[in-house]
Amino acid sequence: MTAHLVRHESRYMTSPASSATGAADLPDYAPIPPSALGVALNDQGYYVGRVERNLYWVTDGTYQAAFLTTRDGVVLFDAPPTIGGNLRRAIDEMAAANGVTNRVTHLVYSHHHDDHSGAASLFDGDVVHIGHEETRRLLLRDNSPARPAPDVTFADRYTLEVGGERVELAWHGPNHSPDNIYIHFPDHDTLMFIDMVNAGWVPIYNLNLSDDVMGYVAAPSIVLDYPWTHFISGHLGRLATREDVAVHQAYIADIQASSKAALASVDPTPFYMKYGAAGNSWGFVQGYLDAVTERAAAPIIAKYTGVLAAADIEIYTRTTTFAIMQSLRLDSGPSGPVHP
């Protein structure tokens, strides 16, 4: 269903576009910066390309997965349902071109979210599923037949060795999700880490719908501590670079600084006098926090429009700013003055 943003009592809501009659009724956005544009897709709606040697990546322009061909079989990394059967086609294509087996023997989950793993059941048989121990717990909880729980799990680190190839898996704490892991290909100069950086684009709502704000904010520094040239980020139509991670860091740091300034400068008194004094505590909270978010987000939207795609879709930066501002209050503190 088509949706549009509405300015309601809370400006961070969506609503069905009841009056929309076609494309002319939809909003216009700033041109996409060339740096954000991805690869061209084939007639079947996907692109498969070599990262280095026998490591490949696949995209449908919105989601990404990867696979490693080896003499003993193929190791698949994530299985987004939007790519779905095109994963099988991409593997078949590259295996045939290089004269190796197309049999998928292992599937590594980056994390438990269905949008990155919902096509896992397409690869059945004797496939070994690998993931963080929390991924197993969450998939057993979710009980989704599309996403078999991992057979092999680990807590902090695991070295996967298949057909003479080596992949290093690591968990450095919660970030986008409680179980999101770092997938390092040391012999392919590549890191795969999902749902943090959208190469050339801003994060969508609430820091890419992330669970742990402080973990998400800290993750880019961990990413840059790894040696790599190629970065598989899980979304959109191109591989990311170290510069993409640095720009993402700057965007988040600017939001943090702007949020601190807004918290220090927005006076809550008018909101309290209108709402709080009348007993409407949540009206006071909504008015004050929306005003802080608005003041903090506005200069970020202006600065990054034309630099990062979708920066002018204001709800993305506003909801991300709200999440970071709340983390500054609640995680870092203080949330307010201590009553005498």
Side-chain angles (χ1 to χ4, degrees):
M1 180 181 293
T2 303
H4 70 288
L5 306 184
V6 293
R7 290 188 176 271
H8 200 15
E9 194 168 54
S10 173
R11 64 194 64 192
Y12 311 117
M13 299 176 64
T14 60
S15 171
S18 57
S19 62
T21 58
D25 299 289
L26 299 175
D28 292 320
Y29 295 120
I32 302 300
S35 61
L37 297 175
V39 296
L41 307 182
N42 64 19
D43 291 342
Q44 292 175 299
Y46 73 93
Y47 170 87
V48 57
R50 189 190 306 271
V51 182
E52 278 203 9
R53 296 194 300 108
N54 55 331
L55 175 64
Y56 301 89
W57 72 294
V58 188
T59 184
D60 61 358
T62 302
Y63 280 85
Q64 300 174 359
F67 61 92
L68 190 65
T69 60
T70 81
R71 62 174 181 257
D72 294 337
V74 176
V75 183
L76 177 62
F77 299 87
D78 278 354
T82 65
I83 304 178
N86 281 334
L87 287 170
R88 177 78 271 170
R89 296 179 185 96
I91 291 169
D92 291 348
E93 179 184 342
M94 292 298 103
N98 292 281
V100 296
T101 178
N102 65 350
R103 184 172 66 93
V104 175
T105 58
H106 297 75
L107 194 160
V108 176
Y109 292 122
S110 65
H111 62 305
H112 73 287
H113 286 164
D114 185 274
D115 64 328
H116 291 277
S117 59
S121 61
L122 297 180
F123 302 89
D124 51 11
D126 296 327
V127 175
V128 177
H129 297 83
I130 302 169
H132 189 260
E133 60 187 16
E134 185 70 357
T135 301
R136 177 175 172 81
R137 186 190 72 80
L138 290 167
L139 289 181
L140 289 173
R141 178 203 66 182
D142 296 345
N143 193 30
S144 169
R147 296 172 287 159
D151 311 292
V152 176
T153 64
F154 64 96
D156 297 317
R157 294 182 182 276
Y158 180 80
T159 300
L160 174 62
E161 295 181 303
V162 178
E165 303 292 343
R166 173 173 60 104
V167 184
E168 300 289 346
L169 311 180
W171 181 79
H172 296 294
N175 44 78
H176 167 68
S177 67
D179 57 327
N180 201 26
I181 63 170
Y182 298 72
I183 303 169
H184 187 217
F185 303 87
D187 301 322
H188 299 80
D189 201 16
T190 299
L191 183 70
M192 181 174 182
F193 183 62
I194 303 303
D195 282 336
M196 181 195 69
V197 170
N198 301 333
W201 297 70
V202 298
I204 64 165
Y205 307 91
N206 298 305
L207 301 99
N208 280 341
L209 307 176
S210 293
D211 290 344
D212 190 299
V213 174
M214 293 189 74
Y216 177 95
V217 170
S221 294
I222 299 172
V223 164
L224 291 174
D225 280 343
Y226 278 89
W228 56 268
T229 299
H230 317 290
F231 187 79
I232 302 168
S233 66
H235 280 288
L236 300 165
R238 69 171 175 85
L239 297 176
T241 66
R242 300 185 80 88
E243 177 63 18
D244 289 319
V245 179
V247 172
H248 170 89
Q249 277 187 305
Y251 171 80
I252 297 297
D254 283 345
I255 291 176
Q256 288 178 303
S258 192
S259 295
K260 290 177 182 178
L263 284 167
S265 62
V266 174
D267 183 3
T269 304
F271 306 100
Y272 178 77
M273 294 300 294
K274 182 170 180 62
Y275 302 112
N280 188 350
S281 296
W282 281 174
F284 160 65
V285 169
Q286 184 265 335
Y288 171 62
L289 293 181
D290 273 8
V292 172
T293 303
E294 183 82 18
R295 182 171 297 184
I300 310 303
I301 293 167
K303 178 177 180 178
Y304 285 92
T305 295
V307 177
L308 290 175
D312 61 312
I313 303 178
E314 296 183 1
I315 197 169
Y316 289 161
T317 295
R318 284 179 177 157
T319 55
T320 287
T321 298
F322 181 83
I324 289 175
M325 179 266 291
Q326 289 293 73
S327 177
L328 289 171
R329 294 179 59 249
L330 304 178
D331 296 326
S332 301
S335 60
V338 176
H339 193 281

